[in-house]
């Protein structure tokens, strides 16, 4: 399958959930692969640093995001769940929602959103795919979010499942 066709199929399979209104490395839940927090922080904040078109809408530059280990835990749990079930979804295999996953870590959000994807080889590729997808792009550019966590997990065949959790704490 040509790369562009594969990318389009992947983008069609990705879902976006719009929420209701630190550097270092953290352990990924599946294989011990490191998630580079600094890399993720740079990728997301570079995207937010300038005005960006997401589909038909132009979004102003947004404030910097900061890594939050609790959101990283929520992302890791969901990536692992998707990898185990080999299913790309915002709903967990037991029906849990993003809000359930965030609150289970002790983070109390006032705003939250999530991007999921499968198949991209690295963080830069998945962020680029999300920026090319209007709904995912809107999540990344949403100025309501101040924190994030991200994770990847591999299924038994080596396919990668990515989760980005964005949130802002309740006051």
């Amino acid at each position: 399958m040509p790369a562009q066709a594969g990318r389009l199929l992947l983008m069609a399979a990705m879902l976006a959930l719009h929420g209701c209104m630190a550097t270092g490395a953290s352990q990924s839940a599946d294989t011990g692969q490191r998630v580079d927090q600094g890399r993720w922080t740079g990728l997301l904040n570079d995207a937010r640093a300038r005005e960006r078109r997401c589909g038909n809408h132009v979004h102003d530059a947004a404030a910097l995001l900061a890594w939050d280990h609790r959101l990283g835990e929520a992302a890791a749990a969901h990536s692992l769940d998707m990898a185990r079930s080999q299913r790309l979804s915002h709903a967990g295999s037991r029906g849990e929602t993003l809000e359930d996953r965030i609150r289970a870590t002790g983070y109390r959000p006032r705003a939250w959103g999530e991007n999921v994807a499968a198949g991209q080889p690295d963080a830069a590729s998945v962020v680029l795919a999300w920026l090319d997808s209007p709904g995912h792009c809107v999540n990344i550019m949403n100025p309501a979010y101040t924190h994030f966590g991200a994770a990847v997990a591999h299924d038994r065949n080596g396919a990668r499942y990515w989760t980005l959790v964005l949130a802002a704490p309740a006051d």
Side-chain angles (χ1 to χ4, degrees), residues 4 7-8 30 53 56-57 59 86 94 132 147 164:
Q4 183 64 19
R7 184 171 180 221
L8 290 174
D30 64 329
R53 179 174 293 279
N56 294 327
H57 303 282
H59 296 268
Q86 294 183 305
R94 295 183 313 267
D132 285 343
H147 296 123
L164 171 64

Side-chain angles (χ1 to χ4, degrees), residues 39-40 119-127 160 162:
R39 177 79 171 131
W40 275 92
Q120 290 84 356
D122 54 45
S125 298
V126 75
V127 170
R160 291 173 175 93
W162 299 93

Side-chain angles (χ1 to χ4, degrees), residues 137-160:
C137 180
V138 167
N139 271 352
I140 291 171
M141 295 303 294
N142 188 332
Y145 303 138
T146 57
H147 296 123
F148 80 97
V152 61
H154 300 82
D155 71 11
R156 63 181 169 269
N157 300 315
R160 291 173 175 93

Side-chain angles (χ1 to χ4, degrees), residues 67-133:
W67 176 271
D68 185 281
H69 70 92
R70 295 164 297 181
L71 299 180
E73 290 173 22
H78 192 55
S79 285
L80 183 57
D81 186 50
M82 288 190 298
R84 286 181 176 159
S85 64
Q86 294 183 305
R87 183 176 67 97
L88 183 67
S89 177
H90 288 287
S93 61
R94 295 183 313 267
E96 62 276 10
T97 66
L98 170 60
E99 183 180 8
D100 296 332
R101 291 188 293 274
I102 293 172
R103 289 186 183 278
T105 69
Y107 190 102
R108 298 292 174 243
R110 69 172 160 76
W112 60 91
E114 178 179 65
N115 287 355
V116 296
Q120 290 84 356
D122 54 45
S125 298
V126 75
V127 170
L128 180 60
W130 284 331
L131 290 172
D132 285 343
S133 169

Side-chain angles (χ1 to χ4, degrees), residues 25-28 32-36 152:
S26 66
Q27 201 74 17
S28 176
Q33 177 179 342
R34 297 299 216 168
V35 176
D36 185 340
V152 61

Side-chain angles (χ1 to χ4, degrees), residues 37-75:
Q37 297 170 18
R39 177 79 171 131
W40 275 92
T41 301
L43 289 167
L44 294 172
N45 286 331
D46 284 352
R48 289 168 63 98
R50 63 180 177 84
E51 181 180 90
R52 178 171 301 278
R53 179 174 293 279
C54 299
N56 294 327
H57 303 282
V58 175
H59 296 268
D60 291 334
L64 299 178
L65 293 168
W67 176 271
D68 185 281
H69 70 92
R70 295 164 297 181
L71 299 180
E73 290 173 22

